Amino acid sequence: MGQTANLRGAIVIFDIDGVVRDVGGSYRRALADTVEKFTQGAYRPSSQEIDGLKAEGIWNNDWEASQELTYRYFEAQGTSRKLLNLDYSDMVAFFQSRYRGTDPDHWTGYICQEPLLMQPKYLDSLTQAGIRWGFFSGATRESANYVLEKRLGLQSPLLIAMEDAPGKPDPTGLFASVQQLASEALTPVIYVGDTVADMYTVERARQMQPDRRWIAVGILPPHVQETSDPLRVSQRDRQSAYAESLRQAGAEVVFANVQELTAIAIQQLVKT
């Protein structure tokens, strides 16, 4: 067993968006489309502006983020959000028409173009090391299962999705996923995410269940690693700033890709 013998019982829970799949051209694109639509084409948020909103740590739900950015645009123009007649259900429907597509039977939207950031053999390596794993995501169950089962080929993986728990940073969904994998109070848990809300979720878990070891691991999403930047912020500076925001929110380590969280890396984290 050697290097991984002490990992028996360790638990890793993964976020999905920005960790398992690249959503820069799907969820984030649909978010920008929605804001542009409901500001009558007057405003399309940049990638940095979306990051700025999510750095507040409470806008994990992209439907709500779309609504909030729309509100803030009109407020900047001097119109109170109380005077706006935004229909949230209409915004969600438009968002989904972009993300899932307009065919109710066959998904044809942006979701079909999401690059994978994780391969099944990576999860196999964790299993072989005695590490239990699952997923807790703010994505809808259908969307999450699309990538986990159809794209990755996993068979009924443990998943706590949007319909199953309050949105992050509320740790209820994290607790539910851990409970299904282990009841031992001393089993260390690593939660892997790409947003400030993910890191805050771990911090709240520590406060509510201090007897268990909770470890936050940050992942740099692909959109902050792209070379093109309309604001001419260097790639290195953008990555550094994003990584620092995750660390400030509680990440013990930040990786460029989830598969860098190997069994050996997990061993080092749970031993510190």
Side-chain angles (χ1 to χ4, degrees), residues 88-105:
Y88 181 68
S89 62
D90 285 348
M91 298 188 81
V92 171
F94 179 82
F95 185 108
Q96 293 295 79
S97 74
R98 290 295 193 267
Y99 181 66
R100 292 177 50 166
T102 56
D103 186 335
D105 300 318

Side-chain angles (χ1 to χ4, degrees), residues 136 169-175 178 189 191 197-216:
F136 166 43
D170 187 311
T172 300
L174 180 58
F175 293 153
V178 170
V189 175
Y191 185 53
D198 294 325
M199 305 302 103
Y200 284 172
T201 300
V202 177
E203 180 58 34
R204 292 194 183 182
R206 291 193 193 106
Q207 295 170 1
M208 296 173 67
Q209 293 188 8
D211 291 340
R212 190 187 295 275
R213 176 84 186 282
W214 300 94
I215 302 169

